[in-house]
Amino acid sequence: MSAGGIGGAGAPGEAAGGAERRERIRANLAALRRRVDAACAAVGRSPQEVTIIAVTKTFPASDVRILAELGITDVGENRDQEAAPKAAECADLGLRWHFVGQLQTNKARSVARYADVVHSVDRTRLAAALGARARAEGREVGCLVQVNLDPDSAAGVLGLRGGADPRDVLAVADAVAAEDGLALGGVMAVAPRGGDPAEAFARLNAVAAEVRDRYPQAVAVSAGMSGDLEAAVGQGATHLRVGTALLDDRGPNVG
Ligand SMILES: *Cc1c(COP(=O)(O)O)cnc(C)c1O
């Protein structure tokens, strides 16, 4: 399909590649929505219950803009150094920004400025730091407790995927709930490499139920990426974090 000659909807000076990129992302999003619809149908859920978070790490702000034009309302990033300037550049789009990466306590100040939801709260000290920074900014930051689903590794070892030990999740949830400026939203996890994601997400679902018993408002279950979103939908995910399936390969992942 040629984009030439008609003037198009692109910004003045938009590179010729802009229309192609937009068409590519539009097709990817359509395919993704079909996958989510099918996964929901298979387990009798409504696609309305599932929010797609477009993970835009390593991709430029111009892709975020395309996603917003295509109806995406939620975007995710995993490194503060990249996320902070991108969120600033896209401030006019009215998007919800999700921070999904490992978070050092000393980055809490920066992240609290732009993140609407932090998915990676996995220790009480981080909850305290985020709470202090959210109050200083006069913002409310949503927080999900990240759960380590890898039974073979202590949190932070080897995979660096982070997450609280399932036995510590309620204590971290208590710490979030105790902080003015933070809103406990639920739980998040990444399926361990190599295992059965459905089995791992079933364990996450059980932890999510424990958290909801104590905090009924904490209904979010952030689980599922490009490769395992069907398994996540089958185990009650409310938020999918999707990068590759929307934006194609990003090359070696530095996150
Ligand atoms: C990169 C990333 C994703 C998206 O992964 P894809 O396989 O590209 O869909 C989801 N969650 C986290 C925490 C990530 O870092």
Side-chain angles (χ1 to χ4, degrees):
M1 186 186 306
S2 166
I6 307 173
E14 183 184 26
E20 241 171 79
R21 181 65 177 152
R22 166 190 258 276
E23 191 45 42
R24 176 78 196 164
I25 294 174
R26 182 200 303 279
N28 286 347
L29 179 58
L32 174 63
R33 289 202 194 284
R34 283 194 296 273
R35 274 179 76 187
V36 173
D37 288 355
C40 285
V43 293
R45 297 184 64 198
S46 161
Q48 314 274 36
E49 299 170 27
V50 179
T51 300
I52 293 170
I53 299 170
V55 178
T56 51
K57 66 188 184 200
T58 76
F59 292 98
S62 54
D63 280 358
V64 178
R65 213 158 271 283
I66 290 170
L67 287 161
E69 286 165 8
L70 294 172
I72 287 287
T73 55
D74 292 76
V75 293
E77 288 282 334
N78 73 335
R79 286 171 65 243
D80 176 62
Q81 304 92 295
E82 179 181 354
K86 212 183 284 183
E89 201 177 334
C90 296
D92 59 308
L93 298 176
L95 296 166
R96 289 171 57 79
W97 289 82
H98 298 255
F99 191 86
V100 303
Q102 294 271 92
L103 183 54
Q104 302 298 318
T105 305
N106 64 6
K107 298 285 189 200
R109 177 201 291 260
S110 174
V111 168
R113 289 201 183 109
Y114 60 84
D116 295 293
V117 185
V118 175
H119 289 228
S120 46
V121 182
D122 60 2
R123 55 205 192 276
T124 56
R125 213 164 79 83
L126 179 57
L130 276 171
R133 300 323 314 182
R135 290 191 295 278
E137 296 292 328
R139 299 187 71 234
E140 182 173 85
V141 177
C143 290
L144 309 185
V145 180
Q146 185 177 350
V147 183
N148 177 19
L149 295 177
D150 191 343
D152 299 329
S153 88
V157 174
L158 207 67
L160 297 173
R161 297 192 147 195
D165 186 287
R167 289 165 298 193
D168 298 333
V169 167
L170 278 175
V172 179
D174 289 344
V176 170
E179 294 288 332
D180 286 334
L182 302 184
L184 178 66
V187 298
M188 173 273 211
V190 177
R193 283 178 229 269
D196 173 10
E199 181 275 329
F201 291 142
R203 284 187 282 120
L204 176 66
N205 206 355
V207 175
E210 274 180 56
V211 172
R212 274 198 311 272
D213 275 350
R214 191 174 293 183
Y215 299 104
Q217 80 281 10
V219 295
V221 180
S222 168
M225 318 199 314
S226 296
D228 56 20
L229 65 89
E230 284 84 0
V233 167
Q235 298 296 333
T238 62
H239 291 73
L240 307 174
R241 307 179 309 271
V242 181
T244 317
L246 278 173
L247 298 168
D248 302 314
D249 284 331
R250 65 177 75 85
N253 181 5
V254 292

